[in-house]
Amino acid sequence: MRFLRLVQNELMKIHSKRNSWFYYLFLVMGVIASAILMKYLISAAGEAINFVEFSHYMKMALAPFITIFAVVMGAQTITEEFKDGTIKQLLIRPASRTAVLLSKYVSIILIVLIAYAVLLFVSLLTGVVLFGTSSPGDVSFAILYKKILYDLPGMMFIMTLSFFLAVTFRGIGLAISVAIIANFIGGLLVTMLSKYAWAKYIIFANTDLTVYDPDPLISSGMQPPFAGMTLGFSLSVILAYIAVLLIVANLIFVKRDIR
């Protein structure tokens, strides 16, 4: 119960800041503006889509912004405590430092899930209003949900990396920039090292889980970067990286002298 109260406290602190609500508003306005533009373009072209296809387009267009939001929140939740000096007040509570750190991490996970829920709900509702439900389409609810689920593990790693860097260096700029740059150049790094068998253990060779789905509408015909790789293997690699980052971050946080 004490840990749940810590998580609840973190969620309240995050949502007490206007930038969090501005982000949700950005998602809502992005969906509505895109829907109006697509309605005009599709009508002009004489084509038709349904609300599920529209939601799929919005997921592809706006999911990267959720990743950026997760990275920023992962860094901000730690660095602002040190910057404002409130970390001292937090650590005088009876909860252990490990519990405090994990409560912050869990709260960011919940924020990411809330952001996805907002995106999905608003895009489906807007799609129903502007595009209807009867138009034929190849994208089903199952495809939409599976793509979201495939996105989450890779996003969790990038957010954890940002969180780890924030704990280690206490600098929000460094944590955010390194995490975002790593997210963008990771694929290039894997390509450069593809001739080495050990490169399949690099995290960025495992973050795209859509390649394991037999449905070409999800995988786009792509194959795993290395022969013999499976969905279970990639998930295990992602979880291992996340676990190591969290363990090291906790060791640093527990031993750090807070003044």
Side-chain angles (χ1 to χ4, degrees):
M1 292 298 295
R2 183 179 296 171
F3 181 77
L4 292 179
R5 286 197 294 270
L6 286 173
V7 173
Q8 183 182 27
N9 181 60
E10 290 300 324
L11 290 174
M12 291 175 60
K13 285 195 294 185
I14 291 172
H15 286 114
S16 67
K17 299 172 184 176
R18 287 183 296 179
N19 58 348
S20 299
W21 293 103
F22 284 153
Y23 182 76
Y24 295 137
L25 181 61
F26 167 78
L27 289 179
V28 172
M29 297 306 297
V31 169
I32 295 174
S34 299
I36 295 173
L37 179 61
M38 289 181 66
K39 180 68 174 180
Y40 172 77
L41 295 176
I42 289 174
S43 298
E47 300 177 357
I49 63 172
N50 65 9
F51 71 112
V52 180
E53 289 176 307
F54 172 73
S55 297
H56 180 242
Y57 292 139
M58 290 301 95
K59 180 266 169 193
M60 291 190 296
L62 297 178
F65 292 99
I66 296 181
T67 300
I68 294 174
F69 180 56
V71 167
V72 172
M73 288 293 102
Q76 196 175 54
T77 188
I78 288 291
T79 56
E80 286 196 348
E81 296 279 11
F82 285 104
K83 178 181 177 182
D84 298 336
T86 53
I87 190 69
K88 298 177 183 178
Q89 301 173 8
L90 195 61
L91 295 182
I92 62 176
R93 298 184 178 186
S96 67
R97 289 195 179 193
T98 298
V100 169
L101 190 67
L102 287 180
S103 68
K104 290 181 173 295
Y105 183 76
V106 171
S107 67
I108 300 303
I109 294 176
L110 294 176
I111 290 295
V112 170
L113 295 178
I114 291 172
Y116 258 117
V118 169
L119 174 60
L120 187 61
F121 174 77
V122 174
S123 61
L124 286 173
L125 180 61
T126 306
V128 168
V129 173
L130 291 183
F131 301 104
T133 60
S134 60
S135 300
D138 295 326
V139 179
S140 64
F141 276 115
I143 290 176
L144 177 61
Y145 293 146
K146 286 173 75 174
K147 280 203 166 187
I148 291 175
L149 290 175
Y150 284 139
D151 277 355
L152 290 177
M155 182 187 298
M156 288 294 301
F157 166 74
I158 294 299
M159 184 271 286
T160 307
L161 176 62
S162 174
F163 187 79
F164 164 78
L165 292 170
V167 172
T168 304
F169 301 105
R170 292 189 289 183
I172 188 171
L174 178 65
I176 293 174
S177 58
V178 170
I180 291 178
I181 291 173
N183 188 42
F184 280 104
I185 70 171
L188 177 61
L189 176 64
V190 172
T191 300
M192 293 173 58
L193 299 174
S194 59
K195 62 181 179 179
Y196 302 105
W198 52 262
K200 67 180 181 180
Y201 295 102
I202 297 176
I203 181 63
F204 299 106
N206 296 273
T207 51
D208 184 5
L209 301 179
T210 61
V211 297
Y212 298 111
D213 198 284
D215 191 335
L217 290 176
I218 296 178
S219 65
S220 301
M222 300 293 290
Q223 297 294 323
F226 297 92
M229 293 178 64
T230 64
L231 178 60
F233 172 82
S234 289
L235 285 173
S236 298
V237 170
I238 294 173
L239 290 175
Y241 272 83
I242 290 176
V244 169
L245 289 175
L246 286 178
I247 290 172
V248 176
N250 182 61
L251 291 174
I252 293 173
F253 189 69
V254 168
K255 294 181 178 181
R256 172 163 286 156
D257 183 22
I258 306 297
R259 296 175 180 173

